[in-house]
């Protein structure tokens, strides 16, 4: 079942995952957070970061990290950021 991106529909477990520090993200979560970032960058004029640059920025820039967190459903290897 696809999880909603609407925080008003999230349960306690969704919020726990959303607030999980990036140091605790697994490889699937990292990949999916980056996929969502990359998909949104298609609409921006700025050049997007590659995965390694993105990961470093999430780990070292708290403001950037707050914009890019694990959302419900991002633990699924079949996560689609465009749906």
């Amino acid at each position: 079942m696809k999880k909603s991106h609407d925080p008003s529909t999230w349960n306690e477990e969704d919020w726990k995952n959303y607030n999980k520090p990036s140091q605790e993200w697994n490889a699937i979560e990292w990949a999916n957070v980056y996929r969502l970032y990359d998909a949104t960058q298609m609409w921006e004029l700025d050049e997007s970061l590659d995965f390694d640059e993105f990961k470093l920025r999430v780990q070292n820039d708290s403001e950037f990290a707050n914009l890019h967190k694990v959302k419900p459903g991002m633990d699924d290897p079949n996560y689609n950021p465009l749906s």
Side-chain angles (χ1 to χ4, degrees):
M1 180 169 100
K2 182 178 180 330
K3 286 290 211 165
S4 170
H5 288 281
D6 178 3
S8 69
T9 65
W10 295 357
N11 62 32
E12 188 175 325
E13 189 66 24
D14 295 335
W15 282 105
K16 181 180 170 190
N17 286 332
Y18 179 75
N19 291 314
K20 181 170 44 172
S22 62
Q23 296 85 348
E24 296 177 16
W25 295 356
N26 63 40
I28 293 170
E29 291 167 330
W30 269 112
N32 287 331
V33 171
Y34 181 73
R35 280 187 193 128
L36 179 58
Y37 160 79
D38 197 42
T40 59
Q41 285 303 107
M42 288 190 298
W43 306 106
E44 300 292 327
L45 297 176
D46 297 334
E47 208 172 294
S48 64
L49 303 171
D50 70 24
F51 178 76
D52 291 329
E53 293 169 323
F54 173 81
K55 190 171 181 178
L56 282 173
R57 186 131 180 232
V58 166
Q59 293 172 331
N60 296 307
D61 182 339
S62 60
E63 190 173 321
F64 186 79
N66 281 332
L67 296 172
H68 306 286
K69 293 185 167 195
V70 173
K71 294 177 179 60
M74 286 186 163
D75 57 342
D76 182 348
N78 297 314
Y79 174 78
N80 181 352
L82 301 176
S83 64

